[in-house]
Amino acid sequence: MGRFDKYNVDLKGLKVASLNLEFDLDNAFFRDIDGEEFQKGVVKASVTVKKNRDIFDFSFSLTGTVVVPCDRCLDDLEIDVETENTLRVKLGEEYADEGDIVVVPEQDGDLNIAWYLYEFIVLALPMKRVHAPGKCNHEMTGKLKKHSAEHNNDEAGDEEQSYDPRW
């Protein structure tokens, strides 16, 4: 049994018109998925699958907290996540991502949603991930100030700056 087998949804074997699934995504899930954005968190995932003839409509509701590195000081930063997403899936000849519809090979008949769960969380994160003012690692912010352009300009005072005027 694989690490992500519990996230397989058997589309061919779906007998009911609607299926509700619940998952608790924890540090082990995020570590195993090995994503680039983060590897820690606790997120509750509710997934509803509705079968409409040949199309399967997935509705994802994700709430929880993930731990990402702060963009400024690189210390851990907890970010709350609350997002709702949808995914449309149909069975076909071979796997394809046709814009708004994912095609799953009919011979396989199942879809593993583990990566979609991770991606929807990543999409819910803000672009800028920094601690509240004054909460960053003081040692790191001191080093950043020491090497910043503003700090270096202040030290230069009235001396002529050494830069290429063409730029």
Side-chain angles (χ1 to χ4, degrees):
M1 185 165 156
R3 294 181 292 195
F4 300 112
D5 284 351
K6 72 178 185 178
Y7 304 102
N8 282 340
V9 179
D10 183 11
L11 301 175
K12 277 179 36 176
L14 191 61
K15 304 292 182 207
V16 294
S18 182
L19 174 66
N20 295 317
L21 304 166
E22 299 284 328
F23 301 104
D24 291 319
L25 311 178
D26 57 8
N27 291 343
F29 171 83
F30 295 117
R31 185 178 51 253
D32 288 345
I33 202 94
D34 199 27
E36 293 179 13
E37 297 291 323
F38 59 91
Q39 294 188 348
K40 294 182 193 174
V42 176
V43 176
K44 175 95 170 146
S46 298
V47 181
T48 303
V49 183
K50 292 184 179 175
K51 183 178 178 181
N52 299 320
R53 294 189 182 146
D54 296 337
I55 300 287
F56 300 89
D57 291 314
F58 285 72
S59 297
F60 296 83
S61 177
L62 304 158
T63 56
T65 304
V66 295
V67 179
V68 299
C70 173
D71 290 340
R72 189 176 298 134
C73 71
L74 302 177
D75 279 358
D76 284 349
L77 170 66
E78 286 190 4
I79 296 182
D80 292 331
V81 173
E82 188 169 337
T83 184
E84 302 215 359
N85 301 86
T86 59
L87 179 69
R88 300 191 86 196
V89 179
K90 71 178 183 177
L91 297 174
E93 293 294 316
E94 59 185 38
Y95 180 82
D97 192 351
E98 298 176 349
D100 61 341
I101 295 180
V102 174
V103 179
V104 174
E106 193 163 357
Q107 65 190 24
D108 294 344
D110 63 342
L111 175 70
N112 189 299
I113 61 171
W115 187 252
Y116 293 105
L117 293 167
Y118 176 79
E119 281 293 316
F120 290 145
I121 294 169
V122 170
L123 290 172
L125 296 176
M127 291 293 289
K128 189 174 182 180
R129 304 168 194 156
V130 295
H131 288 102
K135 301 291 183 186
C136 273
N137 180 321
H138 296 293
E139 183 181 337
M140 182 63 85
T141 55
K143 288 180 181 181
L144 287 172
K145 278 185 181 177
K146 180 180 173 187
H147 297 289
S148 73
E150 277 184 27
H151 180 74
N152 291 336
N153 287 344
D154 291 344
E155 287 181 356
D158 292 331
E159 296 176 21
E160 187 177 323
Q161 295 182 11
S162 58
Y163 65 90
D164 190 340
R166 293 176 294 178
W167 306 112

